[in-house]
């Protein structure tokens, strides 16, 4: 959200958006880092023995992503035409689109699915309701957050109401993740 936030502030104070290239880089340069963070967070609790392999794969994909982002920037996105005074909107293309899509799918399956799976495992093993609830909140939070992010990217902002409601729901979903981590998560031994 850094690109839209900076562009929004620029629009308020100068009346103009920031350049589309800066908007794109500010918005998406952290995609590989965030994905690796989700992988580390989930695999360290759910499947520690596979963590290094997943991090290795995403490190390679992240390197490819950054090579295209910084080496071939102009071919990685397009700008949607807007009226003067409106916030710009960009669309992924090429390698950026593919790896961002993989990142979202990875976050949905690994982050969301991993913690929902863990909560079901906790229930079968007789863990406390608190431990089951924490894992479930993290899983559902990631799933809803990613799905809402995908919806926002795929559906053009037809109204400011849609954007506000979607962002509020994303904030609530991310708070589910935060509430799940309020205290240290339980590890399967």
């Amino acid at each position: 959200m850094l690109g839209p936030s900076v562009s929004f502030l620029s629009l308020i104070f100068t009346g103009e958006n920031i350049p589309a290239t800066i908007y794109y880089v500010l918005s998406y340069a952290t995609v590989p880092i965030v994905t690796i963070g989700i992988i580390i967070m989930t695999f360290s609790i759910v499947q520690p023995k596979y963590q290094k392999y997943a991090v290795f794969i995403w490190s390679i994909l992240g390197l490819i992503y950054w090579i295209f982002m910084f080496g071939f920037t102009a071919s990685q996105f397009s700008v949607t035409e807007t009226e003067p005074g409106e916030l710009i909107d960009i669309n992924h293309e090429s390698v950026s689109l593919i790896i961002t899509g993989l990142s979202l799918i990875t976050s949905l399956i690994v982050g969301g699915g991993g913690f929902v799976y863990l909560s079901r495992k906790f229930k079968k093993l007789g863990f406390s309701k608190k431990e089951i609830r924490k894992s479930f909140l993290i899983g559902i939070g990631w799933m809803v957050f990613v799905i809402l992010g995908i919806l926002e990217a795929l559906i053009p902002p037809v109204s400011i109401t849609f954007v506000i409601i979607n962002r509020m729901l994303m904030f609530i979903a991310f708070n589910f993740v935060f509430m799940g981590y309020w205290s240290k998560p339980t590890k399967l031994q």
Side-chain angles (χ1 to χ4, degrees), residues 1-7 10 17-29 69-70 73-74 77 79 88 90:
M1 301 312 297
L2 185 58
S5 300
V6 171
S7 194
S10 175
N17 285 293
I18 61 175
T21 302
I22 294 173
Y23 182 102
Y24 167 70
V25 170
L26 288 176
S27 296
Y28 298 104
M69 173 176 268
F70 295 111
T73 310
F77 72 96
V79 181
I88 62 172
I90 62 171

Side-chain angles (χ1 to χ4, degrees), residues 59-79:
S59 296
I60 299 298
L61 286 172
L63 184 60
I64 293 167
Y65 185 82
W66 284 330
I67 287 170
F68 278 88
M69 173 176 268
F70 295 111
F72 307 96
T73 310
S75 66
Q76 299 306 305
F77 72 96
S78 63
V79 181

Side-chain angles (χ1 to χ4, degrees), residues 4 11 24 62-63 66-67 79 81 88 131 135 145 165 176 181:
L11 200 56
Y24 167 70
L63 184 60
W66 284 330
I67 287 170
V79 181
E81 292 295 321
I88 62 172
E131 300 302 329
S135 293
F145 184 80
I165 291 171
F176 279 15
Y181 271 109

Side-chain angles (χ1 to χ4, degrees), residues 88-105:
I88 62 172
D89 187 30
I90 62 171
N91 301 306
H92 284 287
E93 294 181 354
S94 187
V95 174
S96 176
L97 175 65
I98 294 166
I99 295 181
T100 300
L102 288 172
S103 173
L104 291 170
I105 291 167

Side-chain angles (χ1 to χ4, degrees), residues 21-70:
T21 302
I22 294 173
Y23 182 102
Y24 167 70
V25 170
L26 288 176
S27 296
Y28 298 104
T30 59
V31 166
I33 296 168
V34 171
T35 306
I36 290 170
I38 292 168
I39 287 169
I40 290 170
M41 171 189 70
T42 306
F43 275 83
S44 67
I45 296 169
V46 179
Q47 290 289 341
K49 63 184 176 182
Y50 297 118
Q51 180 181 358
K52 64 182 173 187
Y53 302 114
V55 169
F56 176 76
I57 290 168
W58 263 101
S59 296
I60 299 298
L61 286 172
L63 184 60
I64 293 167
Y65 185 82
W66 284 330
I67 287 170
F68 278 88
M69 173 176 268
F70 295 111

